[in-house]
Amino acid sequence: MSAPDPDGLLAEQLLRLTRRLHRIQKRHLEPVGITPAQSRLLRTVAHYGDAPPRMADLAARLEVVPRAVTSLVDGLEAAGRVRRVPDPSNRRVIRIELTDEGRATLRELRSARRAAAEDILAPLTVEQREVLGGLLTALAGPVPEGGC
């Protein structure tokens, strides 16, 4: 019998937690009518504020291929949450901006994300949450401004 592999066990626990996080987040986002990927794109568009991003900006920021962004934008545009607008300085460039519906959806998302976080963190004490926050920052880096 081989000795236990502590790093392998940690990796497995992290993978299980990631799958659990995804399931819980998906469950909380369903009533909003949005997928986790659409949620992330919407939050990313909001992060740009008054300067709507180009599709290429979103693909780079989300670390996905441009085609994936196109599909996400198509779905969000069909739901009235974003719109494609021409760049005022180069009409060949398309930018993505939030609509009023998109801003309302972001408010709903904040509530859904808080509820999902509470479900996930419920077993932990305040002190354990602080320790976990520090550990996650050490592994993933600090949370970017705006929380995207």
Side-chain angles (χ1 to χ4, degrees), residues 34-67:
I34 198 166
T35 67
Q38 288 174 329
S39 166
R40 187 166 177 235
L41 186 127
L42 205 59
R43 291 189 328 269
T44 302
V45 170
H47 179 78
Y48 282 87
D50 292 336
R54 298 171 305 138
M55 299 279 261
D57 299 330
L58 293 170
R61 184 72 165 265
L62 296 170
E63 299 177 340
V64 298
V65 296
R67 178 70 193 126

Side-chain angles (χ1 to χ4, degrees), residues 106-139:
L106 280 171
R107 287 189 293 275
E108 289 181 70
L109 287 174
R110 285 185 196 102
S111 296
R113 288 180 61 167
R114 275 193 297 277
E118 186 51 45
D119 278 1
I120 293 159
L121 299 172
L124 302 179
T125 65
V126 171
E127 293 80 17
Q128 288 171 322
R129 290 177 189 206
E130 288 174 10
V131 169
L132 178 61
L135 293 171
L136 292 174
T137 297
L139 291 173

Side-chain angles (χ1 to χ4, degrees), residues 9-135:
L9 177 60
L10 279 174
E12 179 58 32
Q13 288 173 311
L14 286 170
L15 289 171
R16 284 189 3 240
L17 178 60
T18 300
R19 288 189 297 267
R20 182 169 179 251
L21 289 168
H22 188 74
R23 279 192 315 272
I24 289 171
Q25 180 183 27
K26 191 174 178 181
R27 188 178 74 234
H28 282 276
L29 293 178
E30 279 176 4
V32 180
I34 198 166
T35 67
Q38 288 174 329
S39 166
R40 187 166 177 235
L41 186 127
L42 205 59
R43 291 189 328 269
T44 302
V45 170
H47 179 78
Y48 282 87
D50 292 336
R54 298 171 305 138
M55 299 279 261
D57 299 330
L58 293 170
R61 184 72 165 265
L62 296 170
E63 299 177 340
V64 298
V65 296
R67 178 70 193 126
V69 171
T70 300
S71 296
L72 291 170
V73 169
D74 287 347
L76 290 169
E77 188 173 40
R81 293 178 169 132
V82 298
R83 70 178 145 254
R84 288 172 166 93
V85 295
D87 184 298
S89 63
N90 182 349
R91 297 195 62 79
R92 291 176 300 176
V93 173
I94 300 298
R95 296 197 174 265
I96 308 303
E97 69 179 16
L98 290 175
T99 62
D100 289 341
E101 179 66 27
R103 284 185 276 283
T105 300
L106 280 171
R107 287 189 293 275
E108 289 181 70
L109 287 174
R110 285 185 196 102
S111 296
R113 288 180 61 167
R114 275 193 297 277
E118 186 51 45
D119 278 1
I120 293 159
L121 299 172
L124 302 179
T125 65
V126 171
E127 293 80 17
Q128 288 171 322
R129 290 177 189 206
E130 288 174 10
V131 169
L132 178 61
L135 293 171

